[in-house]
């Protein structure tokens, strides 16, 4: 995920969470909001309840890698916030990737 595709502003980050459409499963919550630009922007939220800084940063790195590998699956013209839940600690990388893709596909079906 390139630095230009990151939600940097705290105000925008909070607005996406409050206003955006939500899709959730046992491991993730994805909040999305439409925008006018063609690129997608992403934010990742991992709470302190999940673990110490090392664990949280590992999860963020894995999610960024999943986003890079599956960038074309995300619909254009959106801002996304991916919120991780505590049950994510029980997943391997491959399970995490499949769960995030399933949730993304579920969200696309709900929009149609």
């Amino acid at each position: 995920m390139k630095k230009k595709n990151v939600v940097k502003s705290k105000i925008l980050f909070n607005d996406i969470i409050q206003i955006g459409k939500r899709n959730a499963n046992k491991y993730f919550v994805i909040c999305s909001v439409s925008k006018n630009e063609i690129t997608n922007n992403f934010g990742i939220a991992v709470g302190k309840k999940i673990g110490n800084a090392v664990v949280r940063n590992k999860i963020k790195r894995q999610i960024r890698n999943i986003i890079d590998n599956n960038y074309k699956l995300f619909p254009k013209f959106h801002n996304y916030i991916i919120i991780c839940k505590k049950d994510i600690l029980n997943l391997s990388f491959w399970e995490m990737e499949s769960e995030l893709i399933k949730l993304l596909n579920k969200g696309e079906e709900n929009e149609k």
Side-chain angles (χ1 to χ4, degrees):
M1 187 168 61
K2 296 180 182 177
K3 286 188 176 184
K4 67 180 182 177
N5 294 342
V6 175
V7 176
K8 296 177 184 170
S9 154
K10 185 176 181 179
I11 296 170
L12 181 59
F13 200 93
N14 290 333
D15 285 347
I16 295 169
I17 290 173
Q18 291 175 358
I19 298 170
K21 295 178 184 176
R22 290 177 175 247
N23 293 315
N25 64 10
K26 187 176 179 183
Y27 308 104
F28 299 102
V29 176
I30 297 180
C31 303
S32 64
V33 173
S34 298
K35 64 176 189 164
N36 293 332
E37 300 171 17
I38 194 165
T39 60
N40 292 333
N41 292 337
F42 297 92
I44 303 169
V46 183
K48 286 186 177 180
K49 291 181 181 180
I50 291 180
N52 62 13
V54 175
V55 173
R56 294 192 311 263
N57 286 332
K58 179 183 176 185
I59 291 170
K60 287 185 215 177
R61 281 195 315 270
Q62 290 175 336
I63 292 174
R64 280 189 216 108
N65 193 345
I66 292 168
I67 291 170
D68 286 341
N69 294 340
N70 301 293
Y71 189 78
K72 293 183 179 181
L73 296 178
F74 289 90
K76 300 283 188 220
F77 300 100
H78 281 83
N79 285 333
Y80 294 97
I81 301 294
I82 300 171
I83 303 169
C84 300
K85 295 183 179 180
K86 190 165 180 107
D87 290 332
I88 199 168
L89 294 173
N90 302 329
L91 296 179
S92 69
F93 176 77
W94 304 112
E95 293 169 334
M96 192 184 305
E97 183 174 26
S98 67
E99 290 294 328
L100 190 59
I101 291 171
K102 284 180 196 174
L103 185 58
L104 180 65
N105 290 335
K106 178 182 166 187
E108 287 179 10
E109 290 173 4
N110 289 342
E111 283 185 11
K112 292 179 183 177

